[in-house]
Amino acid sequence: MAETPFTIHGSKSLVLGYGKIGKILSKDLYALGAQTYVEARKYADLAMIEGHGYEPLPLDNLKYHIHEFDIIFNTIPSLILNDEILTKVKKDALIIDLASKPGGIDFDAAKSYGLKVIWALSLPGKIAPVSSGAIIKDTIMNIIKELGV
């Protein structure tokens, strides 16, 4: 909130990606009173997003709605906010990239348009390495179990 002239409460916030971080972030934004929109590709995820009370935004519609958001959080570790999309972002919007490297924002393009971007790549691993490591271990163990190895 220190990076914006407004609070999260009442802001129109977008979460790009509905993986582990996207799910937790969406829940927290919603609890803080943000108008919470969540982008996803899969129809099952879009249905789940709507079921939780958030506004679903299919990836194909991103370029038509990106100009509406006050705060944009990216959790997708692949280029999603490219030059074409960034030209449509509100000039006073805040963009926060939380994805793993290489991130999902064309940082140079965002800078050239005067957009405010916080590059917080791989933040969970940097801030909470023990918790992040435990989550990764659990994920690997579940994959091994599912494969019957």
Side-chain angles (χ1 to χ4, degrees):
M1 289 188 325
E3 301 294 332
T4 66
F6 49 84
T7 63
I8 290 174
H9 180 83
S11 70
K12 197 165 186 179
S13 296
L14 171 64
V15 177
L16 297 168
Y18 200 58
K20 285 185 178 188
I21 300 300
K23 288 175 182 165
I24 293 166
L25 180 58
S26 301
K27 180 181 172 186
D28 289 348
L29 288 169
Y30 188 78
L32 288 170
Q35 297 174 47
T36 307
Y37 290 72
V38 185
E39 174 280 328
R41 291 174 300 167
K42 298 177 187 172
Y43 290 110
D45 287 341
L46 292 167
M48 186 66 73
I49 290 163
E50 188 171 21
H52 284 293
Y54 323 135
E55 294 292 332
L57 180 62
L59 178 59
D60 294 341
N61 293 342
L62 180 61
K63 63 184 169 190
Y64 304 114
H65 296 279
I66 195 72
H67 67 279
E68 301 172 11
F69 301 103
D70 302 312
I71 308 173
I72 301 165
F73 297 89
N74 177 58
T75 68
I76 301 168
S78 179
L79 185 61
I80 186 100
L81 294 177
N82 58 26
D83 187 76
E84 175 192 3
I85 299 289
L86 289 169
T87 61
K88 300 173 184 178
V89 172
K90 290 188 337 184
K91 298 304 175 208
D92 62 344
L94 174 63
I95 303 170
I96 303 173
D97 198 346
L98 299 170
S100 298
K101 287 185 179 181
I105 299 170
D106 183 336
F107 192 73
D108 292 332
K111 187 177 180 181
S112 74
Y113 297 125
L115 298 172
K116 186 167 196 169
V117 178
I118 296 175
W119 223 19
L121 302 184
S122 306
L123 191 61
K126 291 176 185 171
I127 303 301
V130 173
S131 297
S132 295
I135 291 168
I136 292 169
K137 179 200 77 129
D138 291 344
T139 301
I140 291 170
M141 296 306 290
N142 287 333
I143 291 169
I144 290 171
K145 185 187 285 185
E146 287 174 5
L147 293 174
V149 177

